[in-house]
Amino acid sequence: MKRRDFLRSAAHAGGLSAAASIGLLGSLQAQAQSAPGYKALVCVFLYGGNDGLNTIIPRDATRYAQYAAVRAKLAVAQSSLVALGSDYGLHPSLAPLGPLWAAGALAPVFNVGPLAVPLTKADLKTKTLPDNLFSHSDQQTLWECAGRSVLARTGWGGRLAAQAGVRPVLALGSAGRFGSSDTGAALALPGPGDDFSPSGWFGGPNASRRAALETMARANYSNRLMQAYGSIQKSALDTSATLGPVLKTTPASGSTDAIDIAFGNLSGATDTPLAKQLYQVAKLIRYGATNGSGRQVFVVAQGGYDTHADQLTRHPKLLAELGAALAAFYDATVRIGQASAVTSFTMSDFGRTFLPNASSGTDHAWGNHHLVIGGAVAGGKTYGRYPDLVLGGTDDVGVESWERQGRWIPASSVEQYAATLARWFGLSAAQIAAALPGLANFPLNDLGFIKP
């Protein structure tokens, strides 16, 4: 085997990366000393731009009539909505989340998006705007990093984690820049049944390669670069040995394990990539909460939300997967006694246009509605301001007739959304300011959707 091929294999073995240099095993011990109790933040990124306007819909007669008149054939039937009180309803595909609302564990947050400063329609030509609005990759970066610049290197998840002394962010799906900080990137973890250890690459007849890797990682080097390399590899090997067995387990037939029961043994509605990611997160939360981890940050992902066409077929299927996975995950946190210690929240590239396009779909927009779930959530009510459902109105960026499509100017910023979560996570005002420097541009730094 050529040296460069060996090193390439070693870099992939068990997720051996620079992110692992800080050592999850060591961080579990450090967090136990630095933070009393256990808490976990779980980011659920909906890649492609979820149509928030068909996710959370007004139920009152006046606004539903406005909605239905514009949405036309894309409108969700009023009678099918999952009631969130008398004013709003969820798409029927999210029916599994109805009991969470009733239990006070679900809070919709309206019209959040990237902002540099608070904006009104009158400000659009005079105040600073975020970079490259309506672009998938750029808006993903702005959501992941919080701020106005697409050149940001670090994500707000990584920065919050660093301020809290949590290293690294754990990624079961694509992390983008969300989990990056000045000290490393997110640590990518495998799905149920997969190996998170060098045995997956160096087992069996390749055991001698594993032995060589161990020797390289644990040798005493005088060269600083080699010292760093050895530290990274040793930490990753130790981490994989610790978490590998946790990650590899899958539901057994007739299992009575609390997490397996919550996820229906990953069958039926939970036999999906997103549910499997959250199944892994639930196992890691149980492990972390019982082994002295003070705080953890996770990120999972679901793709497919770029519904420019055939939205009536595609979007309900995506939401059905989302609703089943989120409900199962919350149920798992209840069963393992960690519901109040875990807060999940959605993010997405952007919202979609209120006005449908000619392909039975919707196009790229700006502000969007999101869901926050957990036992610590001040649920059973909504937060933020729902936009005025008028094309070309005060919340629509469009001025000329051709651009009046219902691209809502966000009422709250990503920083405000993140700061609310950071406060619950246990960060001080100074730590929140350090992790979210743009927050100083906004008068309100807590949107209130989590209990004091």
Side-chain angles (χ1 to χ4, degrees):
M1 182 181 235
K2 294 181 180 178
R3 179 176 177 274
R4 66 183 179 185
D5 292 334
F6 175 80
L7 292 175
R8 184 180 299 115
S9 296
H12 286 88
L16 307 186
S17 68
S21 64
I22 33 189
L24 182 57
L25 183 59
S27 78
L28 291 176
Q29 299 166 349
Q31 290 168 40
Q33 298 171 2
S34 63
Y38 179 84
K39 287 187 176 182
L41 283 172
V42 183
C43 172
V44 182
F45 205 109
L46 311 179
Y47 280 102
N50 176 44
D51 181 14
L53 291 167
N54 267 17
T55 301
I56 307 170
I57 303 162
R59 292 181 66 227
D60 61 277
T62 299
R63 287 187 304 162
Y64 182 82
Q66 290 179 303
Y67 158 84
V70 174
R71 277 279 153 129
K73 62 183 179 182
L74 293 189
V76 180
Q78 187 178 24
S79 60
S80 72
L81 298 178
V82 180
L84 303 178
S86 59
D87 293 332
Y88 299 98
L90 291 173
H91 191 287
S93 291
L94 293 174
L97 300 184
L100 278 65
W101 167 270
L106 169 66
V109 185
F110 297 143
N111 203 13
V112 185
L115 289 169
V117 294
L119 285 179
T120 66
K121 190 167 184 174
D123 298 327
L124 291 176
K125 293 184 178 181
T126 59
K127 291 188 177 180
T128 303
L129 300 178
D131 292 344
N132 304 346
L133 289 173
F134 317 136
S135 154
H136 279 296
S137 60
D138 294 313
Q139 295 297 276
Q140 288 167 11
T141 296
L142 294 179
W143 261 101
E144 292 163 354
C145 298
R148 62 164 296 271
S149 175
V150 297
L151 300 178
R153 295 185 306 105
T154 62
W156 67 264
R159 298 195 301 270
L160 291 190
Q163 288 292 325
V166 177
R167 300 186 294 265
V169 172
L170 304 178
L172 280 301
S174 174
R177 298 187 203 179
F178 176 77
S180 299
S181 71
D182 288 333
T183 57
L187 180 61
L189 303 177
D194 291 336
D195 274 311
F196 178 55
S197 70
S199 62
W201 288 77
F202 299 130
N206 297 321
S208 60
R209 297 175 183 173
R210 165 64 186 263
L213 181 62
E214 290 275 2
T215 299
M216 292 171 61
R218 302 183 192 282
N220 292 319
Y221 297 106
S222 57
N223 180 280
R224 288 187 178 181
L225 180 60
M226 293 304 295
Q227 289 174 2
Y229 169 82
S231 176
I232 290 170
Q233 299 292 58
K234 179 180 180 297
S235 179
L237 287 166
D238 290 342
T239 299
S240 67
T242 303
L243 292 187
V246 178
L247 292 162
K248 193 172 182 178
T249 59
T250 57
S253 177
S255 173
T256 58
D257 179 85
I259 294 174
D260 292 354
I261 292 171
F263 278 89
N265 288 331
L266 295 179
S267 63
T270 55
D271 184 15
T272 65
L274 179 60
K276 290 174 181 177
Q277 292 173 51
L278 287 169
Y279 173 77
Q280 296 291 72
V281 173
K283 291 188 298 178
L284 290 167
I285 285 171
R286 179 168 60 187
Y287 177 86
T290 57
N291 285 274
S293 176
R295 285 170 284 185
Q296 292 180 298
V297 180
F298 299 90
V299 58
V300 301
Q302 181 191 23
Y305 283 92
D306 194 19
T307 51
H308 286 287
D310 195 23
Q311 182 167 314
L312 280 179
T313 300
R314 296 168 57 195
H315 194 234
K317 291 180 180 178
L318 291 164
L319 293 183
E321 292 182 9
L322 177 65
L326 290 177
F329 180 66
Y330 177 73
D331 185 26
T333 66
V334 172
R335 290 173 183 270
I336 63 175
Q338 297 298 326
S340 294
V342 181
T343 299
S344 308
F345 57 96
T346 61
M347 303 201 307
S348 193
D349 314 19
F350 37 58
R352 306 195 73 83
T353 53
F354 186 25
L355 185 69
N357 60 29
S359 301
S360 298
T362 50
D363 297 324
H364 302 179
W366 190 356
N368 204 1
H369 311 321
H370 290 282
L371 301 173
V372 184
I373 294 171
V377 171
K381 62 179 182 178
T382 61
Y383 294 84
R385 186 176 66 82
Y386 203 90
D388 185 14
L389 297 175
V390 177
L391 296 176
T394 56
D395 292 321
D396 186 355
V397 299
V399 177
E400 303 298 332
S401 58
W402 60 270
E403 60 184 1
R404 297 174 188 170
Q405 298 184 55
R407 293 185 169 98
W408 310 132
I409 302 166
S412 301
S413 70
V414 177
E415 285 91 342
Q416 292 170 296
Y417 188 64
T420 309
L421 295 162
R423 187 263 301 164
W424 169 81
F425 201 49
L427 269 62
S428 68
Q431 289 174 317
I432 293 173
L436 300 166
L439 184 63
N441 296 328
F442 300 91
L444 183 67
N445 60 17
D446 192 327
L447 300 180
F449 54 76
I450 298 187
K451 298 170 186 175

